[in-house]
Amino acid sequence: MNTGKGEKHHHHDHDHQEPPYHVIHKLPPGDSPYVRAKHVQLVQKDPEAAIVLFWKAINAGDRVDSALKDMAVVMKQQDRAEEAIEAIKSFRHRCSKQAQESLDNVLIDLYKKCGRIEEQIELLKQKLHMIYEGEAFNGKLTRTARSHGRKFQVTIKQETSRILGNLGWAYMQQGSYLAAEVVYQKAQSIDPDANKACNLCLCLIKQARYAAAHSVLDDVLQGKLAGSDDPKSRSRVKELLHELEACQSSLLSPKSSELCLEDAFVEGLDKLMSQWAPYRSRRLPIFEEISPYRDQLAC
């Protein structure tokens, strides 16, 4: 943030003008219920008191978009995620059209935290549908996102890949590994990274397709993907390699693994049918991608 005043670097302290108080603490200027809530949240660091003040701001109609979103995030941090979900559902109608997409993002996080997988999948599909219809980002090609105080641009492509990645994770929680695999493959073809590669590898291990799992990991090992060098990615690759070795050394009866694949395949197909039903014409490439697995099932 450009603070204007107080940016010049003088060596003499008495010359140095402090930037305004609200700038130092990253607070909005002025005095209103919302500003007071932010002050209690960021300066006094009292989340429970901040939640009460965010409610006041929402009821007073003061910066409702920000107040509802901020309150939900603080509630999530306080392990009050179920309450945050109810708050968003009850009060989002008071928020502007522009705020709805970011409220959906907060909801997806909250559903994830509460283990409400079905609702998370529903909302992710809805977001994909908005992208297909050209309604995402309020019709623009990029949007500004914030992370750790920094602003950066997110493209529709990156957003699609991120949503598909989240959808893959949700399918994995349900044990729908084939559906997860197809979704991760799609996400990787749009915007590949090491994290999704590791998740894809896990989908393949769960289906006892070890050679395919190995080749996915190789891309990360050779540093071909964004985030390959992250310490987090490196330790995950180690774990996955370990798991691969363990699985390959224990002799699985081919009969049982075949059955798992059959179940996952059918379940995955049902999921995909419902997911891409509204846009039949665009659905075809996805099914071409999974057609090779039919041969594996024929035997």
Side-chain angles (χ1 to χ4, degrees), residues 15-165:
D15 286 344
H16 190 81
Q17 255 187 308
E18 277 290 297
Y21 181 82
H22 70 272
V23 170
I24 295 173
H25 294 289
K26 294 191 166 64
L27 293 171
D31 180 34
S32 71
Y34 176 71
V35 174
R36 286 195 288 277
K38 291 302 283 179
H39 185 275
V40 170
Q41 178 200 358
L42 299 173
V43 183
Q44 294 174 15
K45 300 202 187 309
D46 183 346
E48 292 298 339
I51 289 170
V52 174
L53 289 168
F54 282 129
W55 271 129
K56 282 191 174 162
I58 292 164
N59 287 320
D62 179 31
R63 309 266 302 255
V64 181
D65 290 4
S66 301
L68 183 56
K69 199 168 83 175
D70 289 354
M71 182 177 75
V73 170
V74 177
M75 281 179 165
K76 181 189 166 196
Q77 290 160 352
Q78 295 303 102
D79 283 322
R80 291 167 64 179
E82 294 282 354
E83 206 181 323
I85 291 169
E86 291 317 307
I88 290 177
K89 286 182 170 177
S90 306
F91 291 92
R92 67 182 306 168
H93 68 279
R94 290 200 192 177
C95 297
S96 70
K97 188 173 179 287
Q98 285 69 39
Q100 300 302 326
E101 252 184 277
S102 56
L103 285 171
D104 279 339
N105 288 334
V106 176
L107 260 185
I108 286 167
D109 271 355
L110 291 166
Y111 285 144
K112 189 173 178 175
K113 174 134 184 162
C114 296
R116 288 164 67 167
I117 306 296
E118 284 296 334
E119 286 153 297
Q120 194 191 346
I121 288 174
E122 211 35 63
L123 202 43
L124 288 164
K125 286 179 183 177
Q126 202 179 306
K127 286 183 82 66
L128 283 173
H129 186 64
M130 282 180 72
I131 288 172
Y132 278 115
E133 296 293 320
E135 293 163 11
F137 292 7
N138 297 306
K140 300 191 182 75
L141 287 176
T142 61
R143 74 176 170 89
T144 306
R146 286 174 185 79
S147 176
H148 306 301
R150 292 222 312 277
K151 285 186 183 183
F152 56 95
Q153 292 300 308
V154 176
T155 65
I156 286 278
K157 242 182 163 183
Q158 289 167 323
E159 181 74 347
T160 306
S161 179
R162 186 184 73 80
I163 293 167
L164 286 167

Side-chain angles (χ1 to χ4, degrees), residues 195 198-199 202 231-240:
N195 178 41
C198 287
N199 288 336
L202 192 54
K232 216 170 165 187
S233 299
R234 285 187 173 284
S235 71
R236 245 192 114 193
V237 168
K238 254 189 207 156
E239 281 168 28
L240 287 165

